Amino acid sequence: MGAVLTAVLTLSLLAVLFGLLLGYAAVRFRVEGDPIVDQIDALLPQTQCGQCGFAGCRPYAEAIASGEAEINRCPPGGETAMIALADLLGRDPVPLENEEAAAKPKSVAWIIEEECIGCTLCLQACPVDAILGAAKQMHTVIADECTGCELCLPPCPVECIVMKPIRETPETWRWPYPRAAHWLKEAADA
């Protein structure tokens, strides 16, 4: 019984010691985030669609801040986001890189359920998890979560996913910046 108690006390002491060491290291070696990256990221639409050539809005913001990417590569943000980025960074506005994609109406993915074979390739491609389904079962799209990035279209082997434009009404209209939409709603409620 004494050996078990000694082992438990030794392990507890080591756990406390390593916990203190990790706590000290977290405080001592803490890395501050880049505030300009946070500001750029706040201006992007947060669709995480990858249409800019980066994995999401945060990596694109980091690339803009480091000078590796131009401010005109975000089709969902369009000209509004590009102008806001130009104002923030003190740069001249430039034409959008992909004006055709930026000019598209807002749309959401729609799965033709009768044609869906349940392959789950669209589930894996969706960056915001807006598609529900299971293997060999019919899938469906959560329209409120879909960003319209169209990343689910290429992997679908039976082409049962179509993009349906959203008719702009006061209920469906969304400000291009999610954080601004929250402020807009608060202002309307006041």
Side-chain angles (χ1 to χ4, degrees):
M1 188 66 172
V4 172
L5 186 60
T6 303
V8 169
L9 288 175
T10 303
L11 288 176
S12 298
L13 182 64
L14 282 172
V16 169
L17 180 67
F18 284 129
L20 290 172
L21 184 64
L22 286 173
Y24 171 76
V27 171
R28 174 76 171 96
F29 301 111
R30 185 177 79 200
V31 177
E32 294 289 332
D34 187 357
I36 193 70
V37 172
D38 293 337
Q39 291 173 342
I40 293 170
D41 191 40
L43 293 175
L44 295 173
Q46 303 306 313
T47 58
Q48 315 308 334
C49 63
Q51 293 181 52
C52 59
F54 293 90
C57 294
R58 182 72 183 192
Y60 179 45
E62 291 168 355
I64 290 172
S66 67
E68 296 172 17
E70 193 57 59
I71 60 174
N72 63 345
R73 296 176 66 176
C74 181
E79 189 175 342
T80 309
M82 185 271 302
I83 290 172
L85 289 169
D87 289 344
L88 173 68
L89 300 171
R91 298 184 191 174
D92 292 329
V94 291
L96 292 173
E97 187 173 282
N98 189 351
E99 290 187 34
E100 181 182 313
K104 287 183 186 176
K106 291 180 185 176
S107 58
V108 295
W110 184 265
I111 296 177
I112 303 168
E113 296 171 352
E114 298 81 30
E115 297 176 13
C116 179
I117 60 173
C119 67
T120 71
L121 294 175
C122 59
L123 291 173
Q124 299 164 27
C126 184
V128 293
D129 294 331
I131 301 175
L132 289 176
K136 300 185 182 181
Q137 301 291 320
M138 181 262 318
H139 296 98
T140 191
V141 176
I142 305 169
D144 289 341
E145 297 296 320
C146 180
T147 61
C149 68
E150 300 182 5
L151 291 176
C152 57
L153 297 178
C156 182
V158 294
E159 298 179 358
C160 68
I161 304 173
V162 295
M163 299 304 292
K164 287 196 172 183
I166 300 172
R167 198 183 72 162
E168 284 198 16
T169 66
E171 291 80 30
T172 61
W173 181 80
R174 274 180 40 197
W175 189 259
Y177 312 114
R179 291 168 184 88
H182 177 68
W183 298 328
L184 210 61
K185 184 178 180 327
E186 287 178 358
D189 292 342

